[in-house]
Amino acid sequence: RQKLFNRLQVILQHLKMSKHTDSTAEVLLEKRGGAGIITLNRPKALNALNLSMIQQIYPQIKTWEQDPETFLIIIKGTGGKAFCAGGDIRAITDAGKVGDRLAQDFFREEYILNNAIGTCKKPYVALIDGITMGGGVGLSVHGHFRVATEKTLFAMPETTIGLFPDVGGGYFLPRLSGKLGYYLALTGFRLKGRDVLKAGIATHFVESEKLPALESDLIALKSPSTENIADLLNSYHVKSKVDQEKEFVLDEHMEKINSLFSANTMEEIVKKLKQDGSPFAIKQLETINKMSPTSLKMTLRQLREGASMSLQDVLTMEYRLSQACMRGHDFYEGVRAVLIDKDQSPRWKPAALEEVSDEVVDDCFKPLGNNDLKL
């Protein structure tokens, strides 16, 4: 009877799989060789992550984790432009405005998925070819291996829309070298291609056109260990010559970034930038002046606290922040200005850093009681 039961499980699993391999499905889940493969399949939406995709990916990762025949998990995007450009912000905005549960459920389930990736017992390989921002970073950065290509475009641009660099940004950003993570978080600066590797966000760099071959080789590995997978990725990595000689785009500015972004408050960072007065500093000031002052203060504290927290504690903190944003003004205004009306002129409330009190920021970090994220 146990044998029959197991057989039925396999058949059901297969039926579920074939349903998901339908080309119109938003996410394709398939098993090939020893690899479980997750393909984000919303190319027109740049593979933006929505709740139904999260609800399919999470249980599948958990199933593969338990399966002795699955040795690694690969995640990739279709369409050639993006790995995943972020979370489905429009849907969350509409829900948040009318107090719909989606504004709670999306962040809750997304962060639970981010944690599953960060604690995954099977080697997890993210092929971050193309645009990888926000929610797409959450699907990749906490995994064992992140393979960037010359087409990778990384950013955490959340302060532009009155949000904060979530999906565990409070964990990985302050752990980048010097104050690089603070700089990326507060300015939304975009890193391209090999710079994503040099920043410490990707673990390997492989030319985009070599990814199908790399994927085939990963699938063909017989009961591989993490070391075998690392060796295979390294063998592709060392053969990739694109931009090999170029120095890191921020190299010449790292000394300034480390000193200017080491201040304890946003006001101090702004003051330091003004005092510095170099073209680089002035450019950063212009960028920061466009961001939501509330988001900037929230983000600086998120990173400072997250620097010494576990990923789980960071995600719990970020869930509180996400709900504070849903209750506030700037998120809806930022989405309106950037994504809906596209006038790029958000009217932030409060409009200046000095007007964002410590009490307001403290309030964003307060526990939510029974509604806290449980990991």
Side-chain angles (χ1 to χ4, degrees):
R1 274 174 67 185
Q2 189 58 41
K3 264 189 182 158
L4 183 66
F5 178 73
N6 291 348
R7 184 85 197 106
L8 276 170
Q9 286 292 89
V10 170
I11 292 167
L12 278 171
Q13 188 61 32
H14 188 75
L15 283 169
K16 224 166 89 184
M17 291 275 184
S18 57
K19 186 178 97 211
H20 290 325
T21 46
D22 159 21
S23 63
T24 59
E26 295 178 321
V27 58
L28 311 175
L29 304 163
E30 53 189 321
K31 182 80 192 301
R32 287 170 49 206
I37 301 173
I38 302 163
T39 308
L40 309 172
N41 191 36
R42 294 182 71 202
K44 288 196 176 79
L46 298 176
N47 298 323
L49 185 66
N50 62 28
L51 186 57
S52 89
M53 292 161 79
I54 294 168
Q55 288 170 340
Q56 292 170 65
I57 296 168
Y58 175 78
Q60 189 60 74
I61 288 178
K62 288 299 178 191
T63 302
W64 281 332
E65 234 180 353
Q66 300 304 316
D67 174 25
E69 300 298 305
T70 304
F71 300 101
L72 75 153
I73 296 170
I74 298 170
I75 186 167
K76 59 180 183 167
T78 50
K81 277 192 182 162
F83 165 66
C84 170
D88 195 346
I89 294 291
R90 290 288 290 265
I92 301 161
T93 314
D94 296 342
K97 278 183 190 158
V98 296
D100 186 285
R101 278 204 60 87
L102 175 72
Q104 296 167 31
D105 296 345
F106 179 85
F107 291 104
R108 188 184 299 276
E109 298 195 31
E110 183 183 26
Y111 297 176
I112 289 171
L113 173 57
N114 299 148
N115 184 52
I117 292 165
T119 57
C120 190
K121 294 182 184 68
K122 299 283 164 85
Y124 183 96
V125 183
L127 305 176
I128 54 170
D129 188 31
I131 301 165
T132 304
M133 295 185 186
V137 176
L139 289 176
S140 54
V141 77
H142 306 297
H144 301 90
F145 302 110
R146 288 91 63 190
V147 182
T149 74
E150 73 281 3
K151 297 200 297 192
T152 304
L153 179 62
F154 162 95
M156 292 298 277
E158 288 79 6
T159 52
T160 323
I161 55 162
L163 212 54
F164 59 97
D166 65 335
V167 297
Y171 182 78
F172 84 88
L173 288 163
R175 285 166 172 79
L176 298 178
S177 95
K179 291 293 169 184
L180 176 61
Y182 291 78
Y183 171 70
L184 296 173
L186 296 168
T187 65
F189 185 82
R190 298 175 166 205
L191 292 170
K192 298 185 181 116
R194 206 177 271 272
D195 286 331
V196 180
L197 171 81
K198 290 181 174 162
I201 292 152
T203 57
H204 295 80
F205 181 90
V206 174
E207 277 104 346
S208 187
E209 63 182 47
K210 298 276 172 26
L211 289 183
L214 171 61
E215 196 183 320
S216 295
D217 285 350
L218 284 166
I219 290 164
L221 287 171
K222 295 279 172 250
S223 57
S225 63
T226 305
E227 289 71 38
N228 302 144
I229 294 163
D231 289 344
L232 177 60
L233 292 171
N234 288 335
S235 73
Y236 272 81
H237 174 80
V238 295
K239 288 191 213 115
S240 295
K241 300 287 183 257
V242 175
D243 293 339
Q244 210 174 16
E245 304 309 312
K246 274 169 84 176
E247 65 168 36
F248 180 48
V249 66
L250 292 169
D251 244 4
E252 55 178 314
H253 304 302
M254 273 316 295
E255 210 174 303
K256 272 203 192 324
I257 286 171
N258 291 340
S259 71
L260 297 169
F261 287 84
S262 63
N264 298 338
T265 66
M266 273 314 301
E267 286 89 342
E268 279 177 70
I269 290 176
V270 167
K271 192 174 151 195
K272 282 184 156 193
L273 287 166
K274 281 181 178 159
Q275 283 170 343
D276 183 278
S278 64
F280 175 76
I282 289 172
K283 201 172 165 202
Q284 306 324 309
L285 262 178
E286 281 170 10
T287 302
I288 283 171
N289 279 333
K290 293 185 184 130
M291 306 302 191
S292 154
T294 306
S295 287
L296 289 168
K297 286 203 167 178
M298 200 190 258
T299 298
L300 182 58
R301 177 160 161 193
Q302 170 206 1
L303 267 58
R304 286 172 59 82
E305 295 200 3
S308 58
M309 284 178 165
S310 68
L311 176 61
Q312 291 70 38
D313 288 342
V314 165
L315 290 166
T316 302
M317 165 178 75
E318 290 180 356
Y319 184 71
R320 293 167 184 169
L321 297 178
S322 77
Q323 297 312 294
C325 290
M326 295 302 106
R327 295 191 301 266
H329 164 273
D330 280 7
F331 170 64
Y332 303 102
E333 174 57 14
V335 171
R336 180 205 66 73
V338 175
L339 299 175
I340 298 173
D341 299 342
K342 299 188 173 150
D343 58 25
Q344 312 302 327
S345 323
R347 291 180 285 281
W348 305 122
K349 280 184 200 164
L353 284 169
E354 296 70 33
E355 294 166 23
V356 183
S357 69
D358 290 347
E359 290 75 47
V360 164
V361 179
D362 288 345
D363 203 41
C364 299
F365 285 81
K366 282 200 177 114
L368 300 170
N370 287 337
N371 289 327
D372 255 335
L373 179 67
K374 302 183 184 54
L375 293 170

